Amino acid sequence: MHGTTVRHTYRRHRTTALAYAGTVVAAIAVTFTAPLSLAEERREPTGPAWRRHTIDASSQGADGVKLADINGDGLMDIATGWEEGGITRVYLHPGHAKAKTNWPAVTVGKTPSVEDAVFADLDGDGALDVVSCSEENERKIFVHWGPKTRRDLLNSSKWQQQVLADSQMWMFAWPMQVDNKHGVDLIAGSKGPGASIAWFAAPKNGRDLESYQQHTISPAGWIMSIWQQDMDGDSDIDIVVSDRYGELRGCRWLENPGPGPAQSKSWKNHFIGARDKEVLSMVLADLDDDGLQDAVVAVRDMKILLLKRLDKTGRNWKTEEISADYHTGNTRAVAVEDVNGDGRKDLVFTTWNAQGKHGVLWLEQGSSLKQWTARQISGTEQGVKYDRIEMLDLDGDGDLDLLTCEEHEGRGGLGVIWYENPYRR
């Protein structure tokens, strides 16, 4: 891969742990209260468990779900990489009446150590393709060219696979028009030594993968989320990321310098928050209904951080912590939606290290953002390592169901699954 590389140097921020010595003398007052129930001791979530439905459990290590209507029927289809299985698959929504059965599927390519798969029409032919990111020893971005006729979508021989990049442990990718030239470009983020956030400039012929130019936007540690949004109101699209490790860890956004020749300038880095946390998946949403998009991020220590945006500049933020410690695993991913139709936005989250614990839950918002009630979704009997979340009505009954995947229950995981919302709107 050739092209111009734009690099950035950021001032290093280090935190120093302070050592405290001395003797603390505490006065202990003994009072007698009624014993806590087991649910109170464990902070057990309440409410009905949601019924789980399997879309596919035929391979190993389902790792993420992303959506698009690939066949034009008005229903969202799914792209998923199976990390241990080493394949990328597409699932076609079978219609509301059949949504609770296994979905029609096609393997679009062999992708060892695949971490992410996303739909994108890179060649501009009107047919959606799939882009897969692989880490570990594979370190590639694959493009799976989709068939031009819808009747061939489930025919694996009609999908063609090529390599776009092979230099880093790639984690996530999204299509994005960056330079206003030719077709859609691609944003991608990686992890490990030499990791970066980069964009790949599309050539005139979108199928000519050797002519894509890779431009580095920023160094990175371990990218866990990539979102696109105009953060400063200048009418171009910026990039918002959560970065798990390293000197740039936390949540931040990168300011798009503009189209055309302006892309020779650097993308300025703006921190949002969580610099001292191990962040995982993040979502952008106006949780407090003030007209400004906040960032909501899952962090490892069983918390969800509300990074509240304070103004339209995107440079002023306030951090608030929300507990996710309700006999759960470590917090993994989060979504913001009105789950039960009461007009208030709730938090839905998945976890990992959830053996014998609640792996998927939702927090019902009370009268303010300070009041949350934990409600169960998955229960505790199955599920260990869940991933990112999509909330959508999969069975056509008017409420939002939860789509996710689970990769470590038993040998191969529960697979690509969805939980049926029991709260009728």
Side-chain angles (χ1 to χ4, degrees):
M1 191 59 56
H2 57 81
T4 304
T5 299
V6 182
R7 299 192 179 275
H8 298 255
T9 301
Y10 300 108
R11 181 177 301 173
R12 297 186 177 184
H13 297 271
R14 300 183 183 273
T15 57
T16 303
L18 301 179
Y20 292 89
T23 302
V24 178
V25 179
I28 302 175
V30 179
T31 59
F32 294 92
T33 59
L36 294 175
S37 67
L38 179 59
E40 289 172 321
E41 288 177 346
R42 285 181 155 187
R43 302 186 66 192
E44 287 278 2
T46 61
W50 298 23
R51 185 180 177 188
R52 187 181 78 241
H53 303 284
T54 299
I55 291 173
D56 184 22
S58 64
S59 189
Q60 298 183 19
D63 205 348
V65 288
K66 288 186 176 175
L67 303 176
D69 180 8
I70 192 173
N71 57 359
D73 64 357
L75 301 172
M76 287 293 106
D77 308 304
I78 304 168
T80 296
W82 291 78
E83 186 172 6
E84 282 74 32
I87 57 174
T88 294
R89 307 201 84 194
V90 166
Y91 303 92
L92 301 186
H93 195 302
H96 293 142
K98 297 181 179 180
K100 299 176 184 180
T101 64
N102 286 8
W103 289 21
V106 58
T107 299
V108 301
K110 295 182 178 180
T111 51
S113 302
V114 61
E115 186 67 27
D116 175 70
V118 65
F119 294 104
D121 183 8
L122 290 185
D123 56 1
D125 65 353
L128 283 175
D129 314 303
V130 175
V131 177
S132 296
C133 293
S134 288
E135 55 164 340
E136 299 303 335
N137 295 327
E138 194 66 16
R139 303 182 179 218
K140 290 182 176 64
I141 297 178
F142 296 98
V143 178
H144 315 278
W145 301 110
K148 294 183 179 180
T149 58
R150 294 173 183 173
R151 66 176 178 271
D152 291 330
L153 286 174
L154 294 177
N155 184 344
S156 61
S157 67
K158 298 295 184 178
W159 290 81
Q160 300 175 20
Q161 177 174 311
Q162 291 182 292
V163 174
L164 172 63
D166 60 0
S167 57
Q168 299 178 38
M169 289 194 283
W170 298 103
M171 295 291 291
F172 292 100
W174 283 104
M176 175 177 170
Q177 179 53 260
V178 178
D179 56 6
N180 290 340
K181 292 174 58 180
H182 308 313
V184 68
D185 308 304
L186 194 71
I187 298 288
S190 60
K191 75 173 189 180
S196 70
I197 303 163
W199 71 279
F200 294 82
K204 185 175 182 179
N205 177 8
R207 284 243 177 181
D208 182 8
L209 295 187
E210 292 186 356
S211 294
Y212 278 73
Q213 293 187 333
Q214 180 178 340
H215 304 272
T216 299
I217 295 173
S218 168
W222 183 333
I223 296 299
M224 294 299 298
S225 301
I226 300 177
W227 295 102
Q228 303 167 24
Q229 186 166 299
D230 181 2
M231 296 293 288
D232 50 5
D234 63 356
S235 299
D236 57 29
I237 303 302
D238 309 301
I239 300 170
V240 192
V241 302
S242 59
D243 198 340
R244 188 172 185 176
Y245 296 133
E247 296 181 357
L248 297 173
R249 68 187 295 185
C251 299
R252 54 195 174 103
W253 64 278
L254 295 143
E255 183 178 350
N256 191 334
Q263 281 299 318
S264 63
K265 301 178 182 178
S266 64
W267 292 55
K268 294 180 181 179
N269 184 77
H270 304 281
F271 284 110
I272 295 174
R275 298 295 323 280
D276 59 341
K277 300 292 186 182
E278 183 180 335
V279 298
L280 288 100
S281 292
M282 173 190 65
V283 67
L284 302 178
D286 183 7
L287 184 57
D288 54 4
D289 291 321
D290 65 352
L292 299 172
Q293 290 282 303
D294 309 303
V296 185
V297 63
V299 296
R300 177 172 180 163
D301 55 348
M302 298 179 186
K303 291 183 178 67
I304 296 169
L305 297 187
L306 166 58
L307 306 177
K308 178 176 169 53
R309 182 169 175 161
L310 301 180
D311 57 37
K312 293 182 178 181
T313 68
R315 290 167 172 79
N316 297 298
W317 302 79
K318 177 183 177 182
T319 301
E320 298 180 7
E321 288 190 355
I322 300 169
S323 175
D325 187 6
Y326 296 95
H327 190 211
T328 63
N330 299 101
T331 323
R332 170 62 180 85
V334 63
V336 177
E337 292 290 353
D338 179 4
V339 172
N340 56 357
D342 65 356
R344 291 190 291 265
K345 293 176 182 175
D346 308 302
L347 297 173
V348 186
F349 67 97
T350 56
T351 72
W352 52 292
N353 286 338
Q355 182 74 48
K357 300 178 181 179
H358 291 273
V360 188
L361 300 91
W362 69 284
L363 299 180
E364 181 180 4
Q365 186 183 160
S367 59
S368 74
L369 294 179
K370 301 291 185 182
Q371 297 179 344
W372 301 93
T373 301
R375 309 292 190 194
Q376 67 173 332
I377 293 180
S378 66
T380 62
E381 293 184 2
Q382 286 186 293
V384 177
K385 185 180 180 183
Y386 294 87
D387 211 278
R388 71 185 305 273
I389 301 166
E390 293 285 353
M391 297 292 294
L392 69 164
D393 184 5
L394 289 170
D395 52 5
D397 63 356
D399 55 31
L400 296 176
D401 306 302
L402 186 150
L403 172 67
T404 187
C405 57
E406 196 281 333
E407 59 178 309
H408 274 308
E409 172 69 32
R411 180 180 178 183
L414 299 177
V416 183
I417 55 178
W418 66 278
Y419 289 92
E420 183 179 351
N421 191 336
Y423 297 91
R424 294 289 182 262
R425 290 176 180 259

